[in-house]
Amino acid sequence: MKVSRRELALIGVWARAEAAQSSPSFRFFDAASAREIEAIASAIIPSGDSPGAREAGVIHFIDRALETFDRDQRPLYQRGLAQAQTLRRRLFPASRDLASLNSADLIRLMETLEKESAEFFEAVRVHTIMGFFADPSYGGNRDQVGWRHIGLTTGHHFTAPFGYYDAPEAE
Amino acid sequence: MIAYRPRDVVDFAIIGAGAAGGVVAKELAAAGFSVVLLEQGPNFTEKDYSHDERKFMFDRVLTNNHRQQPNTFRVTDKEKAVVQPAVGYGRQVGGGTVHFTGNYWRLHPGDFNERSRWGAVPGANLSDWPITYEELEPYYTKAEQELGISGLGGANPFDGPRSRPYPLPPMPAKGSGVLFDRAAKKLGLHSFPAPLAILSQPYRGRGACANCGFCEGFGCEMRAKSSTAVTVIPAALRTGRCELRTGAVVSQIETDALGRVTGVVYFDARKASIRQRAKAVVVCANGAETPRLLLLSKSARFPHGLANGHGVVGKNLMWDTGMLAMGLFEQPLNEYKGVQVTRVLHDYYDSDGKRGFFGGGGIDARFDWYPMGFALDGLPKDVPRWGSGFKSFVGEAFTRTMSLCGHTTCLPVEGNRIDLDPAQKDAWGLPALRATFKNHPDDLKTLRFVLDRQLEILAAAGARRVWSDEVKDVAFSVHLMGTCRMGNDPRTSVVNRDHQAHEVPNLFLVDGSSFVTSGRQQPTCTIQALAYRASEKMVAWARRA
């Protein structure tokens, strides 16, 4: 059977996605920066009653983004993470890293980061939200937790009624 | 597929395999002419499509890539244009008909003579079309029948007369449509089933829509969207007289000493320059790229660009004007399922002297959002952008929100235009497209007026919360109209009523650039009706020549 380039590429994507699901290895981040960026992501979409960015594996989406379609944002992440650490030391001199801040302190840091490192903050915010809702093959939205959170079920075929108002009994 | 040699003098070279070019290729090839159809983008099939929002909405797989093809933008001539995406268009076989929502509105009879009906509008270049609705009606019907349009003829009381019903029944109302109907009834308005270029039932070898929900911005994996890529272009190729060449970026239309077109020069996929000879050239490259190509095609005889002896090429650019309003409801609508739009109303479509400004709009009920887009750009301004408040709002609102989209008048203004940037180049070394655009003040008044009606309708539908963006000048458009307008006077228009360039008898221009007024957006239906009509005129011309 002839396998096209596109199919090979798709197999590659699939294999990498499988790897992302089963192992915690990163291609762009080292383990420490992955933990720090994940802390920021977890403030953007917190865990709680339902899974957040952490459980969705958004960090794997971001790692992949910085390896592929958003490679040009690498310097921004490197610079931004350094700024976040400077800010952390200023606000919480006794702290060790972002990942070990309690949630109230993390939110306080994020509010300042949003103002002082707006470009970096926005990049992580966009990536976190994209990763939470992207196709799980990108490494985030693990077990479709992002889609479940908003009530989206996947499918290539739906049959009306789709919701409450177009159902006959709604009349 | 037949293969012509570049030195063969084919009857027609067509530039752009989109909404218009696909129709023209099929009509000319079916009439017996040899045709080379050039498309700068690739030829995708349904295997290339998926529901990957990140890929299709953020990587611009189906539209022009601004990294390869930067455009520059400025509001007025006083500024230096800066590189900033301002123009979007479909860039593959099928063009915009591949990824469009599928709204398929005919113009109203009154759209063709707004200047006569309302008089001059200060600061605008408002003119009547050189053709009437009655002249175009048979071609609207032909487009609907050949391409496969779903709808309910006669359901819109503001529509002109039609000679045949739609070939397919409308899609059933989804939640947004039911709520829209309910509100319209309450307010005394006339909602009607959306005419759509999407099959509600199997038609001519293609299957019906499966309600997957990924129409706008995506290619249809079911071949249920009636793009030219799955309708007329395959038919053109089946004639054995049409050759489709993809990855072909046209750099110049060539002319001889008499000012007649002799062929086109393009870069093939390997960036080798190819010269294809042709007896006539048809440009269907869209309302931005068509004028750009004419301006690129300078010669001793046409020092200001081809067919531009009177400086009209590129002017009177009209853009995609209209705003979204959102409403949050008590119960889930699950608007992400099914086609985007199922209901429309045209009660505010025509101008009304009592309003104190020129213009009007149509309104449709839809859900314009996929998950990432909604979470990033679709929320009310006072909802937190991150954190637990953000998370809980998105979680609650995604299935409970619907949008109303306004589609409003964009007045033609001479200073709004497409031309060549003096410094910026694209990836082929060609001068980049420069857009200069500022809405006429009446456009903004129309936007405000129609947006207020949208908010009223949402409130009447029972929304417990409504929100929208702020009214402001349009700075990005996917509807590109008016830049080579048709008309009877060669000093004020580029093509005649048969789409033939006034200054070049064997050059035809058919796409959004031909429009004299913007209607109320949703130009694809009229682009395709014009393409059917123009093709008939070209066939008659070529048989005479």
Side-chain angles (χ1 to χ4, degrees):
Chain A
M1 192 183 76
K2 196 160 159 278
V3 180
S4 72
R5 285 168 68 99
R6 189 186 138 70
E7 281 164 333
L8 281 175
L10 283 174
I11 291 164
V13 166
W14 180 77
R16 286 197 298 280
E18 287 287 293
Q21 300 264 343
S22 58
S23 94
S25 67
F26 296 99
R27 292 197 289 158
F28 172 67
F29 292 125
D30 57 44
S33 22
R35 216 164 36 242
E36 295 294 81
I37 297 291
E38 186 170 46
I40 295 176
S42 77
I44 291 167
I45 305 182
S47 310
D49 298 345
S50 63
R54 200 180 286 279
E55 294 75 23
V58 158
I59 189 63
H60 294 282
F61 173 91
I62 301 177
D63 185 62
R64 167 132 179 244
L66 296 174
E67 273 289 324
T68 54
F69 52 87
D70 280 336
R71 278 179 80 90
D72 57 348
Q73 293 190 22
R74 289 170 167 205
L76 178 62
Y77 267 77
Q78 279 154 347
R79 205 167 58 235
L81 191 52
Q83 288 164 350
Q85 299 297 3
T86 308
L87 176 63
R88 174 183 58 76
R89 285 190 289 271
R90 195 175 87 210
L91 294 177
F92 310 108
S95 65
R96 202 176 67 245
D97 52 24
L98 299 169
S100 55
L101 292 177
N102 67 41
S103 79
D105 288 351
L106 182 60
I107 289 169
R108 213 185 120 202
L109 178 133
M110 291 284 285
E111 284 165 352
T112 313
L113 191 69
E114 187 175 16
K115 294 189 198 95
E116 295 184 3
S117 300
E119 198 188 348
F120 169 63
F121 183 94
E122 184 63 8
V124 185
R125 187 184 81 91
V126 168
H127 275 155
T128 301
I129 292 170
M130 285 175 82
F132 197 63
F133 294 119
D135 190 283
S137 63
Y138 286 97
N141 191 11
R142 185 175 288 164
D143 299 328
Q144 305 189 2
V145 293
W147 291 341
R148 283 173 212 233
H149 174 66
I150 57 174
L152 180 144
T153 52
T154 56
H156 283 258
H157 182 270
F158 294 113
T159 309
F162 305 134
Y164 175 85
Y165 300 99
D166 57 335
E169 56 269 30
E171 279 308 309
Chain B
M1 185 167 69
I2 190 166
Y4 297 103
R5 293 165 304 183
R7 67 171 184 278
D8 293 339
V9 184
V10 296
D11 292 322
F12 288 93
I14 302 172
I15 302 165
V23 167
V24 175
K26 184 251 166 186
E27 291 296 294
L28 294 177
F33 296 101
S34 55
V35 173
V36 168
L37 177 58
L38 299 166
E39 167 55 46
Q40 59 166 322
N43 192 5
F44 291 127
T45 69
E46 49 280 14
K47 291 188 199 72
D48 298 306
Y49 303 140
S50 74
H51 292 177
D52 183 341
E53 182 185 3
R54 200 216 62 78
K55 179 177 170 185
F56 285 94
M57 299 305 273
F58 291 82
D59 283 353
R60 300 185 182 272
V61 179
L62 303 178
T63 54
N64 51 320
N65 178 339
H66 290 99
R67 286 180 190 175
Q68 276 195 313
Q69 296 169 295
N71 70 257
T72 62
F73 174 70
R74 59 184 181 173
V75 176
T76 66
D77 290 15
K78 290 181 197 134
E79 301 151 38
K80 184 182 181 311
V82 295
V83 175
Q84 173 186 325
V87 162
Y89 56 81
R91 189 181 184 276
Q92 66 265 311
V93 174
T97 65
V98 170
H99 74 279
F100 81 145
T101 310
N103 262 359
Y104 213 76
W105 301 4
R106 292 180 175 202
L107 289 181
H108 295 185
D111 278 313
F112 293 84
N113 63 347
E114 287 184 298
R115 171 63 193 262
S116 297
R117 293 192 302 122
W118 299 103
V121 176
N125 200 1
L126 185 64
S127 301
D128 288 346
W129 291 55
I131 57 172
T132 62
Y133 175 82
E134 288 67 31
E135 282 172 280
L136 198 55
E137 199 286 329
Y139 306 97
Y140 277 128
T141 293
K142 190 169 182 186
E144 290 164 0
Q145 299 292 326
E146 286 220 348
L147 299 164
I149 307 300
S150 304
L152 183 61
N156 175 10
F158 305 98
D159 252 348
R162 46 189 307 123
S163 52
R164 282 183 75 176
Y166 288 101
L168 294 148
M171 300 292 289
K174 48 193 230 172
S176 57
V178 170
L179 291 168
F180 192 68
D181 279 344
R182 200 179 289 171
K185 200 170 173 191
K186 208 186 278 184
L187 297 169
L189 303 171
H190 305 79
S191 63
F192 61 93
L196 284 181
I198 294 169
L199 302 183
S200 57
Q201 294 176 357
Y203 190 67
R204 299 193 176 181
R206 291 186 291 126
C209 170
N211 293 312
C212 82
F214 285 80
C215 309
E216 185 176 19
F218 291 81
C220 181
E221 295 143 297
M222 311 300 290
R223 303 175 80 241
K225 195 189 287 182
S226 299
S227 79
T228 56
V230 298
T231 53
V232 283
I233 291 172
L237 301 183
R238 279 197 302 272
T239 64
R241 284 183 288 274
C242 176
E243 180 187 354
L244 170 66
R245 295 185 197 157
T246 54
V249 175
V250 180
S251 57
Q252 179 128 37
I253 301 168
E254 290 197 321
T255 45
D256 62 17
L258 297 170
R260 287 221 156 205
V261 165
T262 55
V264 301
V265 181
Y266 67 93
F267 293 106
D268 70 7
R270 293 177 187 149
K271 290 199 178 177
S273 185
I274 313 275
R275 173 177 283 107
Q276 175 64 54
R277 301 177 68 201
K279 289 181 195 163
V281 170
V282 191
V283 192
C284 305
N286 77 50
E289 293 291 1
T290 291
R292 176 177 175 236
L293 181 56
L294 298 184
L295 295 173
L296 285 171
S297 302
K298 291 187 176 85
S299 62
R301 193 182 165 93
F302 297 103
H304 305 294
L306 188 57
N308 195 29
H310 294 279
V312 187
V313 169
K315 290 182 178 167
N316 303 306
L317 172 66
M318 296 177 287
W319 267 4
D320 186 357
T321 312
M323 296 192 64
L324 275 180
M326 267 63 70
L328 180 67
F329 290 82
E330 204 63 46
Q331 301 290 337
L333 288 78
N334 296 320
E335 283 289 301
Y336 67 86
K337 298 178 182 178
V339 296
Q340 260 77 66
V341 183
T342 60
R343 287 292 184 274
V344 181
L345 64 78
H346 280 180
D347 293 74
Y348 306 110
Y349 188 107
D350 203 3
S351 267
D352 181 346
K354 290 199 284 290
R355 289 181 204 147
F357 55 86
F358 180 88
I363 298 170
D364 70 42
R366 62 167 69 192
F367 189 53
D368 232 35
W369 304 103
Y370 299 100
M372 289 176 206
F374 185 65
L376 288 168
D377 297 318
L379 309 184
K381 291 284 170 279
D382 57 345
V383 166
R385 298 164 70 244
W386 56 275
S388 58
F390 162 79
K391 184 188 175 192
S392 65
F393 187 88
V394 177
E396 185 203 352
F398 182 75
T399 57
R400 291 177 176 80
T401 301
M402 64 179 259
S403 322
L404 295 188
C405 191
H407 307 276
T408 59
T409 304
C410 182
L411 275 162
V413 174
E414 191 172 294
N416 289 339
R417 66 190 189 277
I418 298 292
D419 60 10
L420 304 178
D421 194 88
Q424 186 67 37
K425 300 274 196 288
D426 70 9
W428 291 264
L430 303 169
L433 192 157
R434 176 171 69 178
T436 305
F437 188 89
K438 181 174 174 52
N439 280 104
H440 188 281
D442 280 15
D443 292 352
L444 300 181
K445 290 176 189 165
T446 305
L447 274 174
R448 179 76 255 167
F449 168 78
V450 174
L451 180 60
D452 287 342
R453 304 291 80 74
Q454 291 164 245
L455 295 168
E456 261 168 30
I457 294 167
L458 284 168
R464 57 185 164 93
R465 178 171 190 172
V466 296
W467 67 96
S468 71
D469 280 335
E470 280 161 35
V471 172
K472 55 175 188 287
D473 278 308
V474 177
F476 180 85
S477 180
V478 298
H479 299 167
L480 306 162
M481 300 171 282
T483 48
C484 296
R485 53 161 56 175
M486 58 198 301
N488 296 322
D489 185 347
R491 291 165 305 172
T492 58
S493 59
V494 179
V495 295
N496 66 19
R497 64 199 314 281
D498 294 344
H499 296 263
Q500 183 178 34
H502 288 299
E503 300 171 27
V504 188
N506 60 342
L507 174 68
F508 297 84
L509 315 176
V510 194
D511 55 23
S513 75
S514 314
F515 281 40
V516 181
T517 57
S518 68
R520 304 299 179 259
Q521 307 299 329
Q522 314 307 13
T524 304
C525 172
T526 297
I527 289 172
Q528 296 192 302
L530 291 174
Y532 276 106
R533 182 177 174 277
S535 300
E536 204 174 280
K537 305 294 180 186
M538 284 181 237
V539 167
W541 171 85
R543 286 190 178 144
R544 278 198 311 273

